[in-house]
Amino acid sequence: MEQVFLKYIDDPNQHKIDTYIEHGGYQAIQKVFKEYQPTEVIDTVKASGVRGRGGAGFPAGLKWSFVPQNTGKPIYLACNGDESEPGTCKDRVIMENNPHLIIEGIMICCYAINAHHAFIYIRGEFAHPAARVEAAINEAYAKGYLGKNIFGTGFDLDIIVHTGGGAYICGEETSLLSSIEGSRGNARIRPPFPAVEGLYKCPTVINNVETLSSLPSIFNNGVEWYRSHGTEKSPGTKIFSLSGNVNKPGNYEVDLGTPLSYVINDLGGGIQNGHKLKAIIPGGSSTPLLMPDQIDTPLDYEAVAEAGSMLGSGAIIVIDERSCMVWVLMKLINFYAHESCGRCTPCREGTAWLKQLINRIENGDGQPGDIELILDVCDNIMGRTICPLGDAAVMPVRSFIQHFRDEFEYHIEHKKCKVETDYPFV
Amino acid sequence: MILKESTIKEIKTRMERYPSRRSAILPALTAAYRQVGHLDNAVYKEISRVIEIPYVEIAEAATFYTMFPKHEVGKYLIQVCHNISCSLRGADNMLIYMQEKLGIKMGETTDDNLFTLISVECLGGCSAAPMMQINQDYYEDLSREKIDTIFADLRAKAEEEGK
């Protein structure tokens, strides 16, 4: 399969600018400067159908077209490399192996939306990936690819790396902007949408690392080539982070629409040590479960939605027969309770209650009626918060109970797991 | 002064690149944390003087971000991921083993002040689980043997630096 992001994953020098150029890098941006007007870039990206790879899958070109060009204010681009959805580790591999691909993508986007300042927001724990990206930016400045009058075009662009402080919420676009501005990472009410009033109250586009990294390939090879990968509505390739109970976890880049079973069995070497598959989280920890009989679901936005879940960030977490689902859900809800920013009451209080209830079931202190209470708390979070973190916490809870209610009931009644195993304490 | 000249210089260099002074708060906290090893009121006050933003605004932002310890920790801060992908690959076991090996419980620091052990949420190393972060470095695909080696190497390094 043809690859865009990980094509040179085995080249230890790919992060260096000379190697990147040897491999055809910085050709797309020069072509764009020579042959395209900014509006034509937006039209091309729209025609390519590339969708946001951060989780929501929103068409990138359409997002850019919302930016007003007549406000007299500067326009900003924020590249989202906060990557904190459990299971997701795809942007990190691009930052480490192919940082110039991100920079070139940022250049294309900035030219299209007329931005001269871009920020790359990288989660604080990624000290080394951030250093890689910063080194790459410095190389690009030294070559005259960033700064003033790039390639003699008169176009100026500065890129700043902004590292976070360990907050999942800062991957949410408005929280990310609050964080760049120096505030606590609280989400903001929309409207106004960031495209109109974002960073420093100026029009701002926020795109994921992987989304921006898709752009050079579109301009190097053409829209038709790009659309020859993936499906009609979900074109292109995508990196899937495969983790959990598989023999070969890893980051795998495949065409969208590739069957889930191909990623798990052919690339991932099947379920760990020949165990039986129990459930799959297909798109990061917040996405509802897929069951073993859905393993052939094509990995594109529409097909996964039709199967009752979401493609999300493409983080596939595989769970085999050894796990008690109450225990797995406890791990997830502890995360959401910890990461709720605390601004909206339903999320702050609700995730804390869900954590308490699920932990007490796991610990053998569950009471009759706890499952109903959990679902009631879910109802009071869903759709009642400023940002999607509350919904993200509710979706797995509802899904786990829907598919494995028997395990929760057993846990409450018998004060222990229905699954008879010492796993993971082996 | 707690902050070194080089740290202050880094903070100022970064601040100048932003359209707004306030944006330097998080970079300043990061630079200070990397030098000092933790953040507290004394550090916020120095940052406040460097970037000329009221102390309370520095503290307000800092207390939101959990990556920065807010009290003194050992020379090596061990942060073990306890989220789903790592748990499915035996993170709980690794945590038990590390507590035994270091002779401390979660959240504690060894008597020689070398290691502080905590568990944290997802660090984005899911496909190389179980994993942990010690100071700025990631250690992945952990096993008991690997942990033995990592701890021994860090002890040796600390001894070397102490000479």
Side-chain angles (χ1 to χ4, degrees):
Chain A
M1 248 183 239
E2 226 169 340
Q3 298 193 317
V4 170
F5 315 105
L6 305 181
K7 191 172 178 185
Y8 298 105
I9 189 73
D10 294 325
D11 188 330
N13 291 316
Q14 179 63 20
H15 63 282
K16 294 181 183 157
I17 196 162
D18 291 334
T19 309
Y20 181 71
I21 291 168
E22 251 169 62
H23 290 151
Y26 291 110
Q27 292 296 317
I29 182 63
Q30 295 190 59
K31 190 172 168 187
V32 164
F33 276 141
K34 272 196 205 109
E35 299 172 16
Y36 292 77
Q37 290 301 313
T39 50
E40 291 169 339
V41 177
I42 297 180
D43 290 342
T44 305
V45 172
K46 272 187 187 166
S48 77
V50 61
R51 296 170 64 169
R53 297 291 197 254
F58 194 80
L62 189 61
K63 200 182 220 181
W64 300 358
S65 66
F66 295 149
V67 174
Q69 290 292 342
N70 55 0
T71 62
K73 293 181 188 173
I75 294 164
Y76 295 111
L77 169 67
C79 169
N80 189 345
D82 191 50
E83 184 147 86
S84 306
E85 172 92 355
T88 317
C89 47
K90 65 182 179 71
D91 295 337
R92 176 180 155 206
V93 69
I94 305 176
M95 291 185 226
E96 284 176 344
N97 173 254
N98 217 348
H100 287 285
L101 188 67
I102 309 172
I103 296 171
E104 193 176 3
I106 288 175
M107 292 168 81
I108 294 169
C109 174
C110 285
Y111 175 70
I113 63 172
N114 194 26
H116 302 287
H117 260 105
F119 297 83
I120 308 183
Y121 191 102
I122 302 176
R123 64 176 299 174
E125 294 89 344
F126 282 177
H128 292 292
R132 267 280 164 90
V133 174
E134 248 180 356
I137 288 171
N138 290 339
E139 281 183 319
Y141 271 106
K143 272 226 183 321
Y145 293 3
L146 289 174
K148 300 268 176 228
N149 192 21
I150 300 168
F151 297 117
T153 55
F155 189 81
D156 303 339
L157 177 62
D158 283 305
I159 304 182
I160 298 175
V161 169
H162 189 89
T163 55
Y168 168 68
I169 187 67
C170 290
E172 191 280 323
E173 58 179 21
T174 61
S175 306
L176 183 147
L177 300 179
S178 300
S179 186
I180 294 179
E181 290 174 2
S183 304
R184 297 166 75 86
N186 289 329
R188 304 174 185 176
I189 295 171
R190 279 154 290 200
F193 287 91
V196 177
E197 195 181 303
L199 192 58
Y200 309 120
K201 294 199 180 294
C202 298
T204 306
V205 164
I206 300 124
N207 278 147
N208 177 257
V209 163
E210 194 185 356
T211 315
L212 291 165
S213 299
S214 305
L215 303 176
S217 69
I218 295 170
F219 290 90
N220 279 329
N221 308 308
V223 165
E224 231 160 82
W225 172 87
Y226 190 76
R227 295 199 76 104
S228 73
H229 297 280
T231 68
E232 171 68 28
K233 288 183 176 167
S234 301
T237 66
K238 169 146 190 38
I239 304 177
F240 290 91
S241 301
L242 183 63
S243 70
N245 303 130
V246 288
N247 285 316
K248 287 189 286 180
N251 282 302
Y252 299 105
E253 180 179 353
V254 295
D255 286 7
L256 284 169
T258 301
L260 178 54
S261 53
Y262 179 79
V263 176
I264 292 178
N265 293 327
D266 294 71
L267 300 175
I271 309 304
Q272 202 176 8
N273 304 329
H275 283 286
K276 211 173 125 199
L277 175 64
K278 187 168 190 176
I280 306 152
I281 300 176
S285 63
S286 57
T287 58
L289 296 168
L290 294 183
M291 300 304 281
D293 61 355
Q294 293 175 298
I295 195 169
D296 289 319
T297 304
L299 290 169
D300 61 73
Y301 295 98
E302 290 69 33
V304 179
E306 207 169 298
S309 187
M310 291 157 73
L311 190 70
S313 61
I316 301 167
I317 307 170
V318 177
I319 303 165
D320 75 27
E321 57 185 339
R322 291 170 294 170
S323 281
C324 163
M325 295 307 268
V326 180
W327 172 74
V328 177
L329 184 61
M330 177 187 73
K331 294 282 177 179
L332 288 183
I333 199 61
N334 288 352
F335 168 76
Y336 288 103
H338 181 262
E339 298 299 337
S340 173
C341 85
R343 184 170 181 195
C344 308
T345 311
C347 174
R348 180 186 65 239
E349 303 299 318
T351 53
W353 274 106
L354 290 176
K355 177 183 169 176
Q356 277 196 44
L357 287 163
I358 293 162
N359 274 268
R360 89 174 183 197
I361 297 175
E362 168 64 17
N363 295 332
D365 299 321
Q367 305 294 318
D370 274 2
I371 296 174
E372 291 70 23
L373 188 53
I374 287 169
L375 293 173
D376 186 52
V377 173
C378 287
D379 292 343
N380 283 298
I381 300 174
M382 196 74 184
R384 293 168 196 259
T385 54
I386 292 174
C387 91
L389 192 146
D391 296 356
V394 166
M395 284 188 291
V397 174
R398 283 181 174 168
S399 174
F400 272 62
I401 292 179
Q402 179 199 334
H403 291 290
F404 296 97
R405 196 178 176 115
D406 55 329
E407 290 196 21
F408 287 82
E409 284 168 349
Y410 190 93
H411 234 291
I412 291 170
E413 191 179 342
H414 300 274
K415 316 288 182 201
K416 60 176 187 178
C417 307
K418 189 175 181 191
V419 181
E420 283 181 34
T421 166
D422 292 333
Y423 181 81
F425 300 100
V426 283
Chain B
M1 288 291 282
I2 302 165
L3 297 182
K4 290 180 186 163
E5 233 5 87
S6 56
T7 308
I8 293 172
K9 200 176 156 213
E10 192 197 334
I11 293 170
K12 285 185 170 164
T13 309
R14 289 191 180 274
M15 181 171 72
E16 279 160 16
R17 300 203 63 206
Y18 287 96
S20 149
R21 181 179 286 274
R22 264 190 75 88
S23 288
I25 291 180
L26 203 39
L29 293 170
T30 305
Y33 159 61
R34 285 188 188 165
Q35 185 219 305
V36 182
H38 71 280
L39 299 177
D40 58 20
N41 286 341
V43 177
Y44 305 150
K45 277 179 187 151
E46 286 197 16
I47 291 175
S48 162
R49 277 196 291 273
V50 174
I51 65 175
E52 297 173 38
I53 299 263
Y55 152 80
V56 67
E57 292 183 33
I58 314 284
E60 185 190 26
T63 49
F64 184 83
Y65 296 101
T66 54
M67 191 184 86
F68 312 116
K70 305 302 187 305
H71 51 80
E72 265 185 70
V73 292
K75 183 178 171 72
Y76 300 113
L77 177 62
I78 307 169
Q79 308 189 64
V80 186
C81 173
H82 62 204
N83 209 296
I84 179 166
S85 297
C86 282
S87 293
L88 289 170
R89 307 286 295 197
D92 298 67
N93 262 344
M94 294 300 128
L95 276 170
I96 292 169
Y97 183 68
M98 284 188 230
Q99 291 177 72
E100 282 169 6
K101 173 111 189 145
L102 296 170
I104 53 174
K105 293 199 183 76
M106 300 305 298
E108 293 180 350
T109 301
T110 52
D111 289 338
D112 56 8
N113 230 14
L114 269 191
F115 297 103
T116 300
L117 179 65
I118 61 171
S119 70
V120 294
E121 296 300 346
C122 185
L123 292 168
C126 318
S127 57
M131 58 81 63
M132 63 178 169
Q133 178 170 25
I134 302 181
N135 296 353
Q136 311 321 320
D137 302 320
Y138 275 24
Y139 296 88
E140 303 181 316
D141 291 312
L142 295 178
S143 62
R144 289 181 176 86
E145 297 70 36
K146 215 164 171 180
I147 289 167
D148 290 347
T149 313
I150 294 164
F151 287 179
D153 289 351
L154 289 175
R155 273 189 207 284
K157 194 176 154 209
E159 214 162 281
E160 189 66 31
E161 285 169 7
K163 273 179 193 164

